[in-house]
Amino acid sequence: MPNSSLRQRITSLHADFREHFGSEPAVVVRAPGRANLLGEHTDYNDGFVLPIAIDRCVLFAAAPRTDRQVVLHALDLDETAAFGLDELAPSPAQPWSNYQRGVAHFLQARGHRLRGMNAALTSDVPIGSGLSSSAAVEVATAFAFRALNNLDISLPDLALVCQQAEHEFAGVPCGIMDQFVSALGRRGHALLLDCRSLAYEHVVLPPGVRVVVCDTGVRRELAGSEYRVRRGQCEEAVRRLQAVLPDIRALRDVTPEQLAEHGALLPEIVHRRARHVVHSTARMSEAVAALRRGAAAAFGQAMRECHASLRDDYEVSCPELEALVDAANEVAGCTGSRLTGAGFGGCTVSLVADGAIAEFEQHVVQRYRAQTGREAAVIVCAAEDGAGVI
Ligand code: ADP
Ligand code: MG
């Protein structure tokens, strides 16, 4: 049952749809953003991630058309786009509509037959704040097409279509995590995803905790270039380790013991990069076991270790991220805190007891300001269900 603010957003979306199209939508879908609790820089190493779908979402209202046109109103951007389902290509003039164009293209490429549609969308997932508003937009679009055309497509395949759309139509070579959890998340649970096989499990979160995302407000160009360097170093580690471990395909296949034994085969810096990834895989299974027995403190410890590893071995932190993590760790009700995303700015993710949220927010904002002279944006999230028709 939608809560009152979601109900209000739906009502107002209905009104906007009527105003633009002169009729009622046939379907309204929601698709959430996400936050990742554990497993950073592990996706491209075929490893594990542990995201939640959050209680912020794209709402997408749609009705079928008799022709093969798609007409879109992006209410938050006050923009309109129209395109035909037979001439799908990225639009340089309206890049925001490339997610919808790409989703339509890759659904059809898989043999799904689509009708045209009228659609209006609105979102409360902040853009570019590390909560993956783009995946929410893609998944909402795919759910709308699926509902209007009765498509027989599994949710993992739908997530893959969305990822492909982001790769090919938005030019962002993202992993599968964001789209996957937006489609398959579960309220009160995190989603453990094997980025190689796409096998997944829902893992119940301890009661009475919130996931808090804090944004440094800093974005550095370095994040993109260093990301490519890290990927290259991981590939190099695999190539060199294959000399003695011929069966490994990715760092995910290497145990901490194997890395300790054969570490001398790697240049020092590559060894440290590999150590972050290899220990992340080992840490994930322990952390998930801790969640299962309700040991929030042990899970928080895994978040802290993950942060230390990202800072010291993977070297993707920066002074602003350190200030946020330090401030978070000073709050008694904070179970764990770490940087999330590519690094060099961007966001942290923390697990915080319900009763400590107000103190956390106040303390982190004030300490961060004192340390850096900047304002931190604090976004308090709960684990929500993945996308669905409302
Ligand atoms: P994020 O980290 O939030 O995913 P991206 O740059 O990957 O940031 O994606 C943001 C893009 O997604 C926006 O520039 C826009 O094209 C699209 N998008 C996000 N939210 C909306 C919205 N409310 N309406 C229309 N398009 C949106
Ligand atoms: Mg994105």
Side-chain angles (χ1 to χ4, degrees):
M1 195 59 213
N3 64 29
S4 66
S5 86
L6 186 58
R7 258 200 310 271
Q8 252 169 35
R9 289 175 61 208
I10 296 167
T11 306
S12 119
L13 178 59
H14 268 267
D16 285 323
F17 189 96
R18 263 196 310 273
E19 185 187 318
H20 282 291
F21 297 112
S23 63
E24 289 294 328
V27 68
V28 177
V29 303
R30 49 168 284 283
R34 66 95 188 94
N36 185 25
L37 295 181
L38 207 59
E40 212 66 65
H41 290 276
T42 50
D43 56 347
Y44 54 84
N45 290 295
D46 278 3
F48 296 85
V49 291
L50 189 70
I52 62 165
I54 61 171
D55 51 346
R56 293 196 175 217
C57 64
V58 169
L59 291 175
F60 194 107
R65 293 172 59 101
T66 51
D67 60 12
R68 291 186 47 78
Q69 284 289 111
V70 174
V71 180
L72 291 171
H73 287 290
L75 300 171
D76 310 320
L77 311 179
D78 196 19
E79 291 250 17
T80 300
F83 55 85
L85 288 169
D86 298 310
E87 64 247 23
L88 290 166
S91 157
Q94 292 182 302
W96 65 270
S97 68
N98 287 338
Y99 302 96
Q100 289 82 12
R101 293 172 202 260
V103 166
H105 177 80
F106 288 109
L107 282 172
Q108 294 190 129
R110 284 178 177 243
H112 296 293
R113 297 168 69 87
L114 304 182
R115 295 196 281 173
M117 73 174 167
N118 292 330
L121 71 147
T122 178
S123 172
D124 66 356
V125 185
I127 293 177
S129 287
L131 299 171
S132 205
S133 67
S134 59
V137 166
E138 292 148 14
V139 171
T141 305
F143 262 74
F145 275 125
R146 183 179 188 245
L148 291 183
N149 299 279
N150 293 314
L151 301 185
D152 182 14
I153 181 169
S154 72
L155 295 185
D157 282 342
L158 180 144
L160 286 167
V161 162
C162 293
Q163 181 197 24
Q164 229 174 342
E166 178 132 3
H167 285 188
E168 307 289 332
F169 276 59
V172 179
C174 56
I176 186 64
M177 168 172 73
D178 302 357
Q179 294 80 6
F180 205 94
V181 72
S182 179
L184 284 127
R186 182 181 294 173
R187 173 178 277 194
H189 292 69
L191 184 143
L192 174 64
L193 176 64
D194 179 335
C195 295
R196 173 179 280 164
S197 67
L198 299 191
Y200 66 95
E201 275 176 71
H202 294 106
V203 184
V204 69
L205 290 172
V209 295
R210 297 290 200 114
V211 174
V212 184
V213 172
C214 299
D215 191 338
T216 59
V218 176
R219 305 284 182 271
R220 292 199 174 87
E221 286 299 315
L222 209 55
S225 53
E226 288 295 312
Y227 177 84
R228 283 186 291 280
V229 172
R230 295 299 177 285
R231 285 188 77 139
Q233 289 165 332
C234 292
E235 286 161 19
E236 180 182 348
V238 172
R239 266 197 316 276
R240 288 176 183 266
L241 289 170
Q242 277 170 336
V244 288
L245 302 168
D247 293 337
I248 65 168
R249 280 159 53 202
L251 282 178
R252 122 81 175 282
D253 300 314
V254 180
T255 65
E257 295 72 28
Q258 287 172 326
L259 185 65
E261 186 182 348
H262 304 298
L265 292 174
L266 307 179
E268 192 268 341
I269 195 167
V270 173
H271 185 202
R272 283 193 289 120
R273 305 300 188 243
R275 194 162 59 193
H276 166 70
V277 178
V278 166
H279 284 262
S280 291
T281 309
R283 195 181 298 118
M284 182 64 90
S285 54
E286 284 166 30
V288 166
L291 276 186
R292 290 225 167 83
R293 43 170 214 278
F299 184 81
Q301 181 58 27
M303 292 178 78
R304 287 172 218 252
E305 285 169 15
C306 175
H307 181 73
S309 171
L310 287 164
R311 180 190 61 213
D312 302 334
D313 277 348
Y314 225 62
E315 293 184 284
V316 293
S317 192
C318 65
E320 294 85 358
L321 286 166
E322 291 307 306
L324 279 182
V325 166
D326 287 347
N329 283 328
E330 286 162 2
V331 178
C334 173
T335 316
S337 184
R338 63 178 196 84
L339 78 84
T340 184
F344 305 101
C347 300
T348 64
V349 60
S350 308
L351 210 57
V352 183
D354 260 338
I357 292 291
E359 182 200 348
F360 179 92
E361 195 162 346
Q362 195 205 350
H363 181 78
V364 168
V365 166
Q366 180 251 313
R367 289 283 282 165
Y368 186 66
R369 189 184 296 138
Q371 288 277 313
T372 67
R374 293 176 177 277
E375 293 303 307
V378 177
I379 304 166
V380 180
C381 307
E384 194 39 90
D385 282 330
V389 174
I390 291 170

